[in-house]
mmCIF file of all heavy atoms in Angstrom:
data_model
loop_
_atom_site.group_PDB
_atom_site.id
_atom_site.type_symbol
_atom_site.label_atom_id
_atom_site.label_comp_id
_atom_site.label_asym_id
_atom_site.label_seq_id
_atom_site.Cartn_x
_atom_site.Cartn_y
_atom_site.Cartn_z
ATOM 1 N N ALA A 20 -59.012 6.049 -14.133
ATOM 2 C CA ALA A 20 -59.814 5.732 -15.314
ATOM 3 C C ALA A 20 -59.789 4.230 -15.547
ATOM 4 O O ALA A 20 -58.721 3.605 -15.536
ATOM 5 C CB ALA A 20 -59.276 6.465 -16.541
ATOM 6 N N VAL A 21 -60.962 3.667 -15.730
ATOM 7 C CA VAL A 21 -61.108 2.220 -15.956
ATOM 8 C C VAL A 21 -61.592 1.997 -17.378
ATOM 9 O O VAL A 21 -62.657 2.488 -17.759
ATOM 10 C CB VAL A 21 -62.106 1.606 -14.963
ATOM 11 C CG1 VAL A 21 -62.276 0.111 -15.228
ATOM 12 C CG2 VAL A 21 -61.666 1.854 -13.522
ATOM 13 N N PRO A 22 -60.828 1.245 -18.206
ATOM 14 C CA PRO A 22 -61.251 0.991 -19.586
ATOM 15 C C PRO A 22 -62.239 -0.166 -19.679
ATOM 16 O O PRO A 22 -62.242 -1.067 -18.833
ATOM 17 C CB PRO A 22 -59.939 0.638 -20.285
ATOM 18 C CG PRO A 22 -59.123 -0.016 -19.224
ATOM 19 C CD PRO A 22 -59.488 0.676 -17.931
ATOM 20 N N LYS A 23 -63.038 -0.151 -20.701
ATOM 21 C CA LYS A 23 -63.994 -1.229 -20.953
ATOM 22 C C LYS A 23 -63.242 -2.482 -21.395
ATOM 23 O O LYS A 23 -62.343 -2.416 -22.236
ATOM 24 C CB LYS A 23 -64.986 -0.795 -22.032
ATOM 25 C CG LYS A 23 -66.174 -1.718 -22.234
ATOM 26 C CD LYS A 23 -67.189 -1.071 -23.171
ATOM 27 C CE LYS A 23 -68.454 -1.893 -23.342
ATOM 28 N NZ LYS A 23 -69.458 -1.195 -24.175
ATOM 29 N N SER A 24 -63.587 -3.611 -20.826
ATOM 30 C CA SER A 24 -62.881 -4.861 -21.134
ATOM 31 C C SER A 24 -63.414 -5.554 -22.369
ATOM 32 O O SER A 24 -62.655 -6.092 -23.182
ATOM 33 C CB SER A 24 -62.980 -5.821 -19.939
ATOM 34 O OG SER A 24 -62.243 -5.345 -18.842
ATOM 35 N N TYR A 25 -64.724 -5.578 -22.529
ATOM 36 C CA TYR A 25 -65.344 -6.343 -23.610
ATOM 37 C C TYR A 25 -66.117 -5.406 -24.532
ATOM 38 O O TYR A 25 -67.001 -4.669 -24.094
ATOM 39 C CB TYR A 25 -66.258 -7.430 -23.037
ATOM 40 C CG TYR A 25 -65.482 -8.471 -22.273
ATOM 41 C CD1 TYR A 25 -65.375 -8.395 -20.882
ATOM 42 C CD2 TYR A 25 -64.823 -9.505 -22.942
ATOM 43 C CE1 TYR A 25 -64.636 -9.332 -20.177
ATOM 44 C CE2 TYR A 25 -64.083 -10.446 -22.241
ATOM 45 C CZ TYR A 25 -63.990 -10.359 -20.862
ATOM 46 O OH TYR A 25 -63.246 -11.288 -20.169
ATOM 47 N N LEU A 26 -65.742 -5.438 -25.809
ATOM 48 C CA LEU A 26 -66.310 -4.531 -26.807
ATOM 49 C C LEU A 26 -67.255 -5.301 -27.716
ATOM 50 O O LEU A 26 -66.823 -6.150 -28.507
ATOM 51 C CB LEU A 26 -65.189 -3.907 -27.644
ATOM 52 C CG LEU A 26 -64.098 -3.181 -26.845
ATOM 53 C CD1 LEU A 26 -62.985 -2.731 -27.783
ATOM 54 C CD2 LEU A 26 -64.681 -1.988 -26.086
ATOM 55 N N PRO A 27 -68.547 -5.039 -27.626
ATOM 56 C CA PRO A 27 -69.494 -5.764 -28.483
ATOM 57 C C PRO A 27 -69.317 -5.357 -29.946
ATOM 58 O O PRO A 27 -69.163 -4.175 -30.256
ATOM 59 C CB PRO A 27 -70.859 -5.320 -27.933
ATOM 60 C CG PRO A 27 -70.606 -3.978 -27.329
ATOM 61 C CD PRO A 27 -69.220 -4.033 -26.780
ATOM 62 N N ASN A 28 -69.346 -6.354 -30.801
ATOM 63 C CA ASN A 28 -69.204 -6.096 -32.245
ATOM 64 C C ASN A 28 -70.155 -7.013 -33.007
ATOM 65 O O ASN A 28 -69.797 -7.611 -34.014
ATOM 66 C CB ASN A 28 -67.767 -6.337 -32.696
ATOM 67 C CG ASN A 28 -67.307 -5.266 -33.670
ATOM 68 O OD1 ASN A 28 -67.364 -4.082 -33.357
ATOM 69 N ND2 ASN A 28 -66.873 -5.671 -34.859
ATOM 70 N N TYR A 29 -71.363 -7.106 -32.506
ATOM 71 C CA TYR A 29 -72.358 -7.975 -33.113
ATOM 72 C C TYR A 29 -73.672 -7.216 -33.181
ATOM 73 O O TYR A 29 -73.872 -6.218 -32.485
ATOM 74 C CB TYR A 29 -72.527 -9.264 -32.299
ATOM 75 C CG TYR A 29 -72.798 -9.045 -30.825
ATOM 76 C CD1 TYR A 29 -74.100 -8.861 -30.347
ATOM 77 C CD2 TYR A 29 -71.753 -9.018 -29.897
ATOM 78 C CE1 TYR A 29 -74.358 -8.662 -29.006
ATOM 79 C CE2 TYR A 29 -72.001 -8.815 -28.550
ATOM 80 C CZ TYR A 29 -73.301 -8.636 -28.104
ATOM 81 O OH TYR A 29 -73.553 -8.429 -26.770
ATOM 82 N N ARG A 30 -74.589 -7.678 -34.013
ATOM 83 C CA ARG A 30 -75.869 -7.017 -34.246
ATOM 84 C C ARG A 30 -75.675 -5.519 -34.442
ATOM 85 O O ARG A 30 -74.987 -5.087 -35.361
ATOM 86 C CB ARG A 30 -76.864 -7.361 -33.131
ATOM 87 C CG ARG A 30 -77.214 -8.848 -33.088
ATOM 88 C CD ARG A 30 -78.490 -9.114 -32.313
ATOM 89 N NE ARG A 30 -78.421 -8.732 -30.910
ATOM 90 C CZ ARG A 30 -78.009 -9.532 -29.925
ATOM 91 N NH1 ARG A 30 -77.626 -10.754 -30.210
ATOM 92 N NH2 ARG A 30 -77.990 -9.116 -28.685
ATOM 93 N N GLU A 31 -76.244 -4.686 -33.548
ATOM 94 C CA GLU A 31 -76.171 -3.239 -33.772
ATOM 95 C C GLU A 31 -74.865 -2.612 -33.305
ATOM 96 O O GLU A 31 -74.657 -1.409 -33.486
ATOM 97 C CB GLU A 31 -77.345 -2.535 -33.064
ATOM 98 C CG GLU A 31 -77.314 -2.580 -31.549
ATOM 99 C CD GLU A 31 -78.125 -3.719 -30.955
ATOM 100 O OE1 GLU A 31 -78.125 -4.814 -31.555
ATOM 101 O OE2 GLU A 31 -78.756 -3.531 -29.911
ATOM 102 N N PHE A 32 -73.973 -3.401 -32.700
ATOM 103 C CA PHE A 32 -72.771 -2.830 -32.091
ATOM 104 C C PHE A 32 -71.548 -2.942 -33.008
ATOM 105 O O PHE A 32 -71.336 -3.961 -33.668
ATOM 106 C CB PHE A 32 -72.472 -3.535 -30.763
ATOM 107 C CG PHE A 32 -73.595 -3.438 -29.768
ATOM 108 C CD1 PHE A 32 -74.379 -4.547 -29.482
ATOM 109 C CD2 PHE A 32 -73.872 -2.244 -29.127
ATOM 110 C CE1 PHE A 32 -75.412 -4.460 -28.564
ATOM 111 C CE2 PHE A 32 -74.906 -2.156 -28.204
ATOM 112 C CZ PHE A 32 -75.680 -3.262 -27.926
ATOM 113 N N TYR A 33 -70.711 -1.878 -32.994
ATOM 114 C CA TYR A 33 -69.478 -1.856 -33.800
ATOM 115 C C TYR A 33 -68.348 -1.225 -33.006
ATOM 116 O O TYR A 33 -67.558 -0.446 -33.536
ATOM 117 C CB TYR A 33 -69.699 -1.056 -35.096
ATOM 118 C CG TYR A 33 -70.642 -1.721 -36.061
ATOM 119 C CD1 TYR A 33 -71.995 -1.413 -36.027
ATOM 120 C CD2 TYR A 33 -70.190 -2.660 -36.988
ATOM 121 C CE1 TYR A 33 -72.883 -2.031 -36.895
ATOM 122 C CE2 TYR A 33 -71.067 -3.274 -37.859
ATOM 123 C CZ TYR A 33 -72.418 -2.959 -37.804
ATOM 124 O OH TYR A 33 -73.289 -3.571 -38.671
ATOM 125 N N GLU A 34 -68.227 -1.554 -31.723
ATOM 126 C CA GLU A 34 -67.266 -0.853 -30.875
ATOM 127 C C GLU A 34 -65.815 -1.150 -31.239
ATOM 128 O O GLU A 34 -64.932 -0.307 -31.030
ATOM 129 C CB GLU A 34 -67.522 -1.175 -29.403
ATOM 130 C CG GLU A 34 -68.780 -0.497 -28.862
ATOM 131 C CD GLU A 34 -68.878 -0.561 -27.347
ATOM 132 O OE1 GLU A 34 -67.827 -0.509 -26.677
ATOM 133 O OE2 GLU A 34 -70.003 -0.666 -26.836
ATOM 134 N N LYS A 35 -65.541 -2.331 -31.784
ATOM 135 C CA LYS A 35 -64.156 -2.646 -32.136
ATOM 136 C C LYS A 35 -63.655 -1.797 -33.307
ATOM 137 O O LYS A 35 -62.454 -1.716 -33.556
ATOM 138 C CB LYS A 35 -64.026 -4.138 -32.458
ATOM 139 C CG LYS A 35 -64.167 -5.035 -31.229
ATOM 140 C CD LYS A 35 -63.988 -6.506 -31.552
ATOM 141 C CE LYS A 35 -64.131 -7.366 -30.301
ATOM 142 N NZ LYS A 35 -64.008 -8.821 -30.596
ATOM 143 N N ARG A 36 -64.573 -1.169 -34.016
ATOM 144 C CA ARG A 36 -64.179 -0.257 -35.093
ATOM 145 C C ARG A 36 -63.479 0.978 -34.513
ATOM 146 O O ARG A 36 -62.639 1.599 -35.172
ATOM 147 C CB ARG A 36 -65.434 0.167 -35.873
ATOM 148 C CG ARG A 36 -65.190 1.142 -37.017
ATOM 149 C CD ARG A 36 -66.518 1.467 -37.678
ATOM 150 N NE ARG A 36 -66.375 2.461 -38.734
ATOM 151 C CZ ARG A 36 -66.166 2.181 -40.033
ATOM 152 N NH1 ARG A 36 -66.076 0.925 -40.434
ATOM 153 N NH2 ARG A 36 -66.050 3.146 -40.925
ATOM 154 N N HIS A 37 -63.823 1.306 -33.234
ATOM 155 C CA HIS A 37 -63.328 2.552 -32.667
ATOM 156 C C HIS A 37 -62.397 2.374 -31.480
ATOM 157 O O HIS A 37 -61.468 3.165 -31.304
ATOM 158 C CB HIS A 37 -64.514 3.424 -32.234
ATOM 159 C CG HIS A 37 -65.560 3.579 -33.294
ATOM 160 N ND1 HIS A 37 -66.827 3.051 -33.189
ATOM 161 C CD2 HIS A 37 -65.501 4.172 -34.512
ATOM 162 C CE1 HIS A 37 -67.519 3.332 -34.286
ATOM 163 N NE2 HIS A 37 -66.741 4.005 -35.104
ATOM 164 N N PHE A 38 -62.651 1.349 -30.661
ATOM 165 C CA PHE A 38 -61.936 1.242 -29.395
ATOM 166 C C PHE A 38 -61.014 0.026 -29.328
ATOM 167 O O PHE A 38 -61.236 -0.994 -29.996
ATOM 168 C CB PHE A 38 -62.933 1.136 -28.231
ATOM 169 C CG PHE A 38 -63.810 2.348 -28.058
ATOM 170 C CD1 PHE A 38 -65.170 2.287 -28.345
ATOM 171 C CD2 PHE A 38 -63.278 3.545 -27.606
ATOM 172 C CE1 PHE A 38 -65.980 3.395 -28.176
ATOM 173 C CE2 PHE A 38 -64.081 4.661 -27.432
ATOM 174 C CZ PHE A 38 -65.433 4.594 -27.724
ATOM 175 N N ALA A 39 -60.003 0.155 -28.467
ATOM 176 C CA ALA A 39 -59.182 -0.986 -28.054
ATOM 177 C C ALA A 39 -59.744 -1.508 -26.733
ATOM 178 O O ALA A 39 -60.225 -0.723 -25.902
ATOM 179 C CB ALA A 39 -57.733 -0.562 -27.867
ATOM 180 N N HIS A 40 -59.697 -2.815 -26.550
ATOM 181 C CA HIS A 40 -60.203 -3.355 -25.278
ATOM 182 C C HIS A 40 -59.179 -3.114 -24.167
ATOM 183 O O HIS A 40 -57.984 -2.949 -24.413
ATOM 184 C CB HIS A 40 -60.524 -4.844 -25.410
ATOM 185 C CG HIS A 40 -59.323 -5.733 -25.525
ATOM 186 N ND1 HIS A 40 -58.545 -6.078 -24.445
ATOM 187 C CD2 HIS A 40 -58.766 -6.360 -26.605
ATOM 188 C CE1 HIS A 40 -57.575 -6.883 -24.825
ATOM 189 N NE2 HIS A 40 -57.671 -7.067 -26.144
ATOM 190 N N GLY A 41 -59.666 -3.150 -22.918
ATOM 191 C CA GLY A 41 -58.792 -2.877 -21.779
ATOM 192 C C GLY A 41 -58.494 -4.084 -20.923
ATOM 193 O O GLY A 41 -58.016 -3.929 -19.789
ATOM 194 N N ARG A 42 -58.746 -5.275 -21.447
ATOM 195 C CA ARG A 42 -58.634 -6.473 -20.603
ATOM 196 C C ARG A 42 -57.248 -6.659 -19.998
ATOM 197 O O ARG A 42 -57.125 -7.141 -18.877
ATOM 198 C CB ARG A 42 -59.028 -7.714 -21.404
ATOM 199 C CG ARG A 42 -60.507 -7.805 -21.725
ATOM 200 C CD ARG A 42 -60.885 -9.187 -22.221
ATOM 201 N NE ARG A 42 -60.219 -9.547 -23.456
ATOM 202 C CZ ARG A 42 -60.638 -9.200 -24.675
ATOM 203 N NH1 ARG A 42 -61.727 -8.451 -24.813
ATOM 204 N NH2 ARG A 42 -59.990 -9.585 -25.754
ATOM 205 N N ASN A 43 -56.223 -6.319 -20.746
ATOM 206 C CA ASN A 43 -54.862 -6.548 -20.257
ATOM 207 C C ASN A 43 -54.216 -5.282 -19.708
ATOM 208 O O ASN A 43 -52.997 -5.232 -19.516
ATOM 209 C CB ASN A 43 -53.996 -7.119 -21.388
ATOM 210 C CG ASN A 43 -54.531 -8.448 -21.885
ATOM 211 O OD1 ASN A 43 -54.959 -9.279 -21.088
ATOM 212 N ND2 ASN A 43 -54.516 -8.657 -23.197
ATOM 213 N N CYS A 44 -55.022 -4.273 -19.470
ATOM 214 C CA CYS A 44 -54.491 -3.004 -18.956
ATOM 215 C C CYS A 44 -54.446 -3.052 -17.435
ATOM 216 O O CYS A 44 -55.466 -2.837 -16.763
ATOM 217 C CB CYS A 44 -55.347 -1.833 -19.434
ATOM 218 S SG CYS A 44 -55.300 -1.567 -21.216
ATOM 219 N N GLN A 45 -53.288 -3.368 -16.912
ATOM 220 C CA GLN A 45 -53.092 -3.370 -15.467
ATOM 221 C C GLN A 45 -51.799 -2.629 -15.125
ATOM 222 O O GLN A 45 -50.846 -2.622 -15.900
ATOM 223 C CB GLN A 45 -53.008 -4.803 -14.908
ATOM 224 C CG GLN A 45 -54.341 -5.505 -14.820
ATOM 225 C CD GLN A 45 -54.607 -6.414 -16.005
ATOM 226 O OE1 GLN A 45 -53.680 -6.995 -16.564
ATOM 227 N NE2 GLN A 45 -55.863 -6.540 -16.400
ATOM 228 N N ASP A 46 -51.823 -2.039 -13.955
ATOM 229 C CA ASP A 46 -50.643 -1.339 -13.440
ATOM 230 C C ASP A 46 -50.162 -0.248 -14.395
ATOM 231 O O ASP A 46 -48.960 -0.038 -14.557
ATOM 232 C CB ASP A 46 -49.516 -2.341 -13.153
ATOM 233 C CG ASP A 46 -48.515 -1.789 -12.148
ATOM 234 O OD1 ASP A 46 -48.888 -0.887 -11.379
ATOM 235 O OD2 ASP A 46 -47.359 -2.235 -12.162
ATOM 236 N N LEU A 47 -51.109 0.436 -15.039
ATOM 237 C CA LEU A 47 -50.777 1.472 -16.009
ATOM 238 C C LEU A 47 -51.267 2.836 -15.533
ATOM 239 O O LEU A 47 -52.062 2.942 -14.599
ATOM 240 C CB LEU A 47 -51.406 1.143 -17.368
ATOM 241 C CG LEU A 47 -50.978 -0.164 -18.043
ATOM 242 C CD1 LEU A 47 -51.757 -0.378 -19.332
ATOM 243 C CD2 LEU A 47 -49.478 -0.169 -18.310
ATOM 244 N N TRP A 48 -50.795 3.856 -16.232
ATOM 245 C CA TRP A 48 -51.217 5.232 -15.997
ATOM 246 C C TRP A 48 -51.617 5.836 -17.331
ATOM 247 O O TRP A 48 -51.208 5.358 -18.396
ATOM 248 C CB TRP A 48 -50.092 6.054 -15.352
ATOM 249 C CG TRP A 48 -49.742 5.564 -13.973
ATOM 250 C CD1 TRP A 48 -49.090 4.411 -13.651
ATOM 251 C CD2 TRP A 48 -50.039 6.203 -12.737
ATOM 252 N NE1 TRP A 48 -48.970 4.275 -12.296
ATOM 253 C CE2 TRP A 48 -49.543 5.381 -11.698
ATOM 254 C CE3 TRP A 48 -50.672 7.395 -12.406
ATOM 255 C CZ2 TRP A 48 -49.662 5.705 -10.357
ATOM 256 C CZ3 TRP A 48 -50.788 7.740 -11.061
ATOM 257 C CH2 TRP A 48 -50.295 6.898 -10.039
ATOM 258 N N ILE A 49 -52.404 6.885 -17.282
ATOM 259 C CA ILE A 49 -52.851 7.539 -18.505
ATOM 260 C C ILE A 49 -52.822 9.057 -18.296
ATOM 261 O O ILE A 49 -53.106 9.550 -17.199
ATOM 262 C CB ILE A 49 -54.267 7.078 -18.904
ATOM 263 C CG1 ILE A 49 -54.621 7.523 -20.328
ATOM 264 C CG2 ILE A 49 -55.314 7.556 -17.911
ATOM 265 C CD1 ILE A 49 -55.897 6.891 -20.869
ATOM 266 N N GLY A 50 -52.454 9.764 -19.349
ATOM 267 C CA GLY A 50 -52.437 11.211 -19.267
ATOM 268 C C GLY A 50 -53.815 11.792 -19.533
ATOM 269 O O GLY A 50 -54.434 11.494 -20.558
ATOM 270 N N VAL A 51 -54.286 12.611 -18.612
ATOM 271 C CA VAL A 51 -55.569 13.295 -18.781
ATOM 272 C C VAL A 51 -55.325 14.784 -18.544
ATOM 273 O O VAL A 51 -55.024 15.195 -17.422
ATOM 274 C CB VAL A 51 -56.639 12.765 -17.802
ATOM 275 C CG1 VAL A 51 -57.968 13.468 -18.030
ATOM 276 C CG2 VAL A 51 -56.803 11.253 -17.942
ATOM 277 N N ASN A 52 -55.362 15.542 -19.624
ATOM 278 C CA ASN A 52 -55.088 16.982 -19.542
ATOM 279 C C ASN A 52 -53.721 17.265 -18.913
ATOM 280 O O ASN A 52 -53.564 18.152 -18.074
ATOM 281 C CB ASN A 52 -56.186 17.700 -18.756
ATOM 282 C CG ASN A 52 -57.530 17.622 -19.447
ATOM 283 O OD1 ASN A 52 -57.666 18.017 -20.615
ATOM 284 N ND2 ASN A 52 -58.526 17.088 -18.758
ATOM 285 N N GLY A 53 -52.738 16.450 -19.319
ATOM 286 C CA GLY A 53 -51.375 16.668 -18.875
ATOM 287 C C GLY A 53 -51.048 16.105 -17.515
ATOM 288 O O GLY A 53 -49.924 16.248 -17.016
ATOM 289 N N GLU A 54 -51.995 15.433 -16.886
ATOM 290 C CA GLU A 54 -51.758 14.855 -15.568
ATOM 291 C C GLU A 54 -51.895 13.347 -15.646
ATOM 292 O O GLU A 54 -52.833 12.820 -16.252
ATOM 293 C CB GLU A 54 -52.779 15.428 -14.582
ATOM 294 C CG GLU A 54 -52.507 15.050 -13.143
ATOM 295 C CD GLU A 54 -53.452 15.769 -12.184
ATOM 296 O OE1 GLU A 54 -53.923 16.866 -12.525
ATOM 297 O OE2 GLU A 54 -53.721 15.205 -11.111
ATOM 298 N N GLU A 55 -50.932 12.623 -15.074
ATOM 299 C CA GLU A 55 -50.960 11.168 -15.100
ATOM 300 C C GLU A 55 -51.855 10.644 -13.971
ATOM 301 O O GLU A 55 -51.679 11.012 -12.800
ATOM 302 C CB GLU A 55 -49.546 10.601 -14.940
ATOM 303 C CG GLU A 55 -48.627 10.881 -16.108
ATOM 304 C CD GLU A 55 -49.038 10.124 -17.365
ATOM 305 O OE1 GLU A 55 -49.254 8.895 -17.270
ATOM 306 O OE2 GLU A 55 -49.149 10.754 -18.427
ATOM 307 N N VAL A 56 -52.793 9.774 -14.341
ATOM 308 C CA VAL A 56 -53.698 9.189 -13.344
ATOM 309 C C VAL A 56 -53.713 7.678 -13.519
ATOM 310 O O VAL A 56 -53.413 7.157 -14.607
ATOM 311 C CB VAL A 56 -55.132 9.760 -13.474
ATOM 312 C CG1 VAL A 56 -55.128 11.279 -13.331
ATOM 313 C CG2 VAL A 56 -55.763 9.344 -14.787
ATOM 314 N N PRO A 57 -54.037 6.930 -12.453
ATOM 315 C CA PRO A 57 -54.093 5.469 -12.563
ATOM 316 C C PRO A 57 -55.061 5.043 -13.667
ATOM 317 O O PRO A 57 -56.150 5.606 -13.812
ATOM 318 C CB PRO A 57 -54.588 5.030 -11.189
ATOM 319 C CG PRO A 57 -54.200 6.130 -10.267
ATOM 320 C CD PRO A 57 -54.324 7.383 -11.067
ATOM 321 N N PHE A 58 -54.651 4.012 -14.416
ATOM 322 C CA PHE A 58 -55.440 3.531 -15.552
ATOM 323 C C PHE A 58 -55.375 2.012 -15.583
ATOM 324 O O PHE A 58 -54.299 1.410 -15.473
ATOM 325 C CB PHE A 58 -54.870 4.105 -16.851
ATOM 326 C CG PHE A 58 -55.491 3.547 -18.112
ATOM 327 C CD1 PHE A 58 -56.769 3.903 -18.502
ATOM 328 C CD2 PHE A 58 -54.780 2.654 -18.914
ATOM 329 C CE1 PHE A 58 -57.333 3.395 -19.672
ATOM 330 C CE2 PHE A 58 -55.339 2.137 -20.082
ATOM 331 C CZ PHE A 58 -56.619 2.510 -20.452
ATOM 332 N N GLY A 59 -56.524 1.366 -15.725
ATOM 333 C CA GLY A 59 -56.525 -0.085 -15.855
ATOM 334 C C GLY A 59 -57.767 -0.714 -15.276
ATOM 335 O O GLY A 59 -58.588 -0.056 -14.622
ATOM 336 N N THR A 60 -57.878 -1.988 -15.513
ATOM 337 C CA THR A 60 -59.011 -2.749 -14.972
ATOM 338 C C THR A 60 -58.689 -3.320 -13.593
ATOM 339 O O THR A 60 -59.467 -4.100 -13.046
ATOM 340 C CB THR A 60 -59.374 -3.903 -15.926
ATOM 341 O OG1 THR A 60 -58.204 -4.704 -16.144
ATOM 342 C CG2 THR A 60 -59.872 -3.366 -17.259
ATOM 343 N N ASP A 61 -57.545 -2.926 -13.044
ATOM 344 C CA ASP A 61 -57.117 -3.422 -11.733
ATOM 345 C C ASP A 61 -57.279 -2.357 -10.658
ATOM 346 O O ASP A 61 -56.525 -2.319 -9.694
ATOM 347 C CB ASP A 61 -55.659 -3.881 -11.795
ATOM 348 C CG ASP A 61 -54.706 -2.763 -12.223
ATOM 349 O OD1 ASP A 61 -55.176 -1.767 -12.812
ATOM 350 O OD2 ASP A 61 -53.491 -2.888 -11.970
ATOM 351 N N LEU A 62 -58.268 -1.497 -10.809
ATOM 352 C CA LEU A 62 -58.467 -0.401 -9.863
ATOM 353 C C LEU A 62 -59.730 -0.609 -9.031
ATOM 354 O O LEU A 62 -60.786 -0.975 -9.555
ATOM 355 C CB LEU A 62 -58.600 0.930 -10.606
ATOM 356 C CG LEU A 62 -57.418 1.412 -11.447
ATOM 357 C CD1 LEU A 62 -57.773 2.721 -12.137
ATOM 358 C CD2 LEU A 62 -56.166 1.579 -10.597
#
């Protein structure tokens, strides 16, 4: 899973209201339905 790095929060966009950015997410894992899978922008 690759997270979005840049969250628009201008004009019609309000993504920072809901999401955390993934810019510094490297060498991480994430649980998806109880299974750990590679997670980050370094994939």
Side-chain angles (χ1 to χ4, degrees):
V21 179
K23 190 171 184 176
S24 292
Y25 295 97
L26 305 175
N28 222 56
Y29 52 87
R30 296 198 298 271
E31 67 265 37
F32 301 107
Y33 292 93
E34 287 192 34
K35 290 182 180 178
R36 179 180 177 92
H37 310 113
F38 297 110
H40 71 77
R42 290 193 298 276
N43 299 319
C44 294
Q45 284 97 33
D46 202 23
L47 299 176
W48 295 72
I49 192 170
V51 182
N52 296 304
E54 188 174 333
E55 293 291 310
V56 302
F58 173 73
T60 55
D61 59 341
L62 298 178

